[in-house]
Amino acid sequence: MGVYIQVLEDLQSQQQQVIPSEKLAEKCEVNSSQIRKDLAYFGEFGVRGVGYYVTDLLQAIKHFLGIDRNWNCILVGVGNLGRALLRHRQLPQKGFQIRMAFDCDPFKIGEHVAGHEVVCTRRLKEKAQLMQIDIGLITTPPERAQRAANHMMQAGIKGIINFAPTRIHVSSDVTVDYVDFSNHLISMAFRLSHP
Amino acid sequence: MGVYIQVLEDLQSQQQQVIPSEKLAEKCEVNSSQIRKDLAYFGEFGVRGVGYYVTDLLQAIKHFLGIDRNWNCILVGVGNLGRALLRHRQLPQKGFQIRMAFDCDPFKIGEHVAGHEVVCTRRLKEKAQLMQIDIGLITTPPERAQRAANHMMQAGIKGIINFAPTRIHVSSDVTVDYVDFSNHLISMAFRLSHP
DNA sequence: TCTTTCTTGTGAAATTTTTCTCAAGTTCAT
DNA sequence: ATGAACTTGAGAAAAATTTCACAAGAAAGA
Ligand SMILES: NC(=O)c1ccc[n+]([C@@H]2O[C@H](COP(=O)([O-])OP(=O)(O)OC[C@H]3O[C@@H](n4cnc5c(N)ncnc54)[C@H](O)[C@@H]3O)[C@@H](O)[C@H]2O)c1
Ligand SMILES: NC(=O)c1ccc[n+]([C@@H]2O[C@H](COP(=O)([O-])OP(=O)(O)OC[C@H]3O[C@@H](n4cnc5c(N)ncnc54)[C@H](O)[C@@H]3O)[C@@H](O)[C@H]2O)c1
């Protein structure tokens, strides 16, 4: 689904107003009926004989996915990866604002990264509750990920994305998503080994 | 599949020698027959009534996936994300060595990041051919990703992992994999909007 | 208006993935 | 030994996903 947005935004910036599923499929490298099925799932947006109106479609997809609004995020673990995310300009562009950054290292507390002051993790609950935080990003070492998740849950955060390569345990009303690059490297190694 | 490795390595470091699929499934948060099917796919590694020997299983999985060896990688685009990857200690630990780093920004060329000298992208072919490079990582801005891919193809690299949020076109003997965090954020936004 | 050319939306078919089930192998206490 | 308790591997069933195929709507030229 994310690919559709990527490609449609490209088309939009190229001023292309309409695109048929066949062409969109090519750009997304998927089957065209796949696209039609996916899009039909949340409404009739195409026009027979014409195709899909890029802008309308984008808006419809974004609304359906819940990304036609801003989401407040916090980040715990201002290390290599944490800094990269804090400095990543595309996240706020897409409606995901990292509102605060936390770390437990006294040398990092007080530092500023991309306009964010790094705050002590112990103050997470207190700080995060001042603002309605939707999503927490964990970029601590794996052995600290559970602790970071606990802090987030105490602050009432219901969505956690864990970049540390370890499973975490959360209560049933919290959604966790795992991001692990090494899976992509592994998958690549496999494909290169079995040509 | 990557989860299995993660969890098995955890077990190994805890000195646990044997684990039944049921317990492994719990830790990986998947169905236990799923695990048995997956593992049976590349051999009979379990012992009925006992379970799987952690060390043997790990070795077998790693061999099957082609990660019981070292893979030579290069990275193009020494920005926020590129630096994080260059400094990421787990990659070499898992057998993925980033051998060289390239950038086109004259201010960055010559700089050292995590023991790697940053080299001008124009010298990629020349440099990369001195060593058998297996995998190329693209961490440039999206509008430069295709160019980076072209350089890699010219150097004979057959596997490309693109962290830039754009599709790239490659010849049929090259494998591309896309990594896009924002997909995880989008998926989280969707799940939080449809509770 | 009619015909030709596109292209969607969708039911049906095909394929893939996941789950269920259980015979058969292993261990251990008695 | 024997039985009870486990656990795998794999066939069958179920569920989900992907692809096919085409009726029906839209546009454009004759
Ligand atoms: N660097 C990468 O490119 C990369 C890629 C994929 C995954 N990861 C994963 O992301 C995580 C971070 O990687 P990194 O390279 O940034 O490591 P890092 O060591 O540079 O950063 C970790 C940061 O977390 C902080 N921290 C530790 N415990 C904490 C706690 N309890 N509360 C708050 N902050 C805490 C540390 O002070 C440090 O600043 C790791 O789990 C790593 O495996 C990193
Ligand atoms: N920062 C993140 O956390 C993050 C997360 C996800 C995806 N990404 C993606 O990763 C890419 C890099 O992000 P970033 O934040 O590091 O950006 P960045 O601007 O900090 O870094 C980009 C680097 O690429 C270099 N570059 C540009 N053109 C080049 C070329 N032709 N050859 C070699 N080097 C070239 C630039 O000099 C710069 O050093 C972007 O596409 C971004 O969308 C970044």
Side-chain angles (χ1 to χ4, degrees), chain B residues 35-52:
Chain B
I35 291 195
R36 293 201 298 278
K37 264 270 170 5
D38 284 353
L39 300 184
Y41 181 68
F42 57 92
E44 288 197 15
F45 290 102
V47 181
R48 296 178 183 205
V50 179
Y52 296 89

Side-chain angles (χ1 to χ4, degrees), chain A residues 30-51:
Chain A
V30 297
N31 182 294
S32 68
S33 13
Q34 183 72 78
I35 290 195
R36 293 202 296 279
K37 263 266 165 20
D38 285 353
L39 299 185
Y41 180 69
F42 57 91
E44 289 197 17
F45 290 101
V47 182
R48 295 178 183 206
V50 180

Side-chain angles (χ1 to χ4, degrees), chain A residues 67-158:
Chain A
I67 53 175
D68 56 346
R69 50 161 280 197
N70 275 337
W71 290 87
N72 291 327
C73 308
I74 59 165
L75 182 144
V76 177
V78 187
N80 299 314
L81 183 60
R83 272 167 220 277
L85 290 172
L86 285 169
R87 292 181 180 137
H88 189 33
R89 292 190 205 80
Q90 273 178 329
L91 293 185
Q93 238 171 55
K94 295 194 174 176
F96 297 96
Q97 314 260 359
I98 303 184
R99 298 297 187 182
M100 298 173 239
F102 299 89
D103 204 293
C104 66
D105 180 346
F107 288 102
K108 288 180 176 158
I109 292 166
E111 195 188 331
H112 284 257
V113 179
H116 301 82
E117 187 185 348
V118 179
V119 177
C120 177
T121 317
R122 273 177 300 189
R123 296 178 59 199
L124 194 157
K125 186 179 174 183
E126 163 206 338
K127 281 279 196 176
Q129 285 181 335
L130 297 178
M131 195 182 292
Q132 178 61 48
I133 298 295
D134 306 294
I135 300 172
L137 308 176
I138 298 179
T139 52
T140 62
E143 63 274 17
R144 301 299 187 94
Q146 182 64 57
R147 198 178 302 188
N150 295 344
H151 280 295
M152 288 174 180
M153 284 190 283
Q154 271 171 29
I157 293 171
K158 298 300 181 210

Side-chain angles (χ1 to χ4, degrees), chain B residues 49-70:
Chain B
V50 179
Y52 296 89
Y53 285 89
V54 173
T55 304
D56 294 355
L57 182 57
L58 249 178
Q59 209 151 26
I61 292 180
K62 286 184 174 177
H63 180 73
F64 173 70
L65 291 177
I67 52 174
D68 55 348
R69 51 161 281 201
N70 275 336

